[in-house]
C-alpha cells in the first residue's frame, strides 16, 4: 500500500492508503472522498475524476495517453497539471503524492 494525499475541494487533506496497482480514483471512491465522481468506472471516457497532479509527483506516474488528453482538453477548469485520476496507477514510487481534487460535483 502507498500513501496518497488527497486535497479535497474544501481545502482539507486526507491521507489514504491505496493498493499498488490500483488507481488514484479507486482510492478515492473506496474511501468515499468527495469530488471524484468516476461515472465511467475508470474507463477513461467521462473525465468526472479530474484532478490536479502535484508537479513533484508527475514523474511517479505514467504519461497521459492521447485519449486522456482529449478528454482533459474540453474541461473548463483544465490546467497544465490536469490528469484523470482513473489513469494514475499507484506504485511505491508515488508514496506521498499530492492530488488536488478539481471540483466537488
Amino acid at each position: 500500500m502507498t500513501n496518497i494525499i488527497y486535497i479535497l475541494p474544501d481545502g482539507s487533506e486526507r491521507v489514504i492508503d491505496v493498493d499498488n496497482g490500483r488507481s488514484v480514483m479507486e482510492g478515492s471512491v473506496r474511501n468515499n472522498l468527495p469530488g471524484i465522481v468516476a461515472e465511467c468506472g475508470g474507463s477513461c471516457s467521462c473525465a468526472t475524476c479530474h484532478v490536479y497532479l502535484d508537479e513533484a509527483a508527475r514523474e511517479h506516474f505514467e504519461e497521459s495517453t492521447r485519449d486522456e488528453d482529449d478528454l482533459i482538453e474540453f474541461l473548463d477548469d483544465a490546467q497544465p497539471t490536469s490528469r484523470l485520476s482513473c489513469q494514475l496507477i499507484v506504485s511505491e514510487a508515488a508514496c506521498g503524492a499530492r492530488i488536488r481534487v478539481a471540483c466537488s460535483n
Side-chain angles (χ1 to χ4, degrees):
M1 293 195 123
T2 298
N3 289 333
I4 301 295
I5 302 165
Y6 294 83
I7 305 164
L8 303 177
D10 67 1
S12 66
E13 294 185 7
R14 293 274 309 272
V15 178
I16 301 293
D17 287 329
V18 179
D19 290 325
N20 292 329
R22 299 280 185 180
S23 70
V24 168
M25 179 209 74
E26 289 175 291
S28 175
V29 170
R30 288 174 181 229
N31 288 279
N32 297 314
L33 300 181
I36 295 179
V37 177
E39 286 180 7
C40 72
S43 63
C44 193
S45 62
C46 72
T48 60
C49 65
H50 178 214
V51 296
Y52 303 109
L53 182 59
D54 185 81
E55 202 59 44
R58 288 181 74 167
E59 67 186 61
H60 302 301
F61 294 99
E62 294 289 323
E63 291 291 321
S64 60
T65 63
R66 181 70 180 147
D67 288 341
E68 182 181 358
D69 291 341
D70 287 346
L71 287 167
I72 290 171
E73 180 181 346
F74 292 102
L75 294 172
D76 291 335
D77 53 351
Q79 297 179 8
T81 59
S82 288
R83 292 294 305 269
L84 300 183
S85 61
C86 67
Q87 299 302 294
L88 298 173
I89 305 302
V90 173
S91 68
E92 288 181 18
C95 188
R98 297 175 60 82
I99 309 292
R100 186 165 53 97
V101 178
C103 65
S104 60
N105 292 317

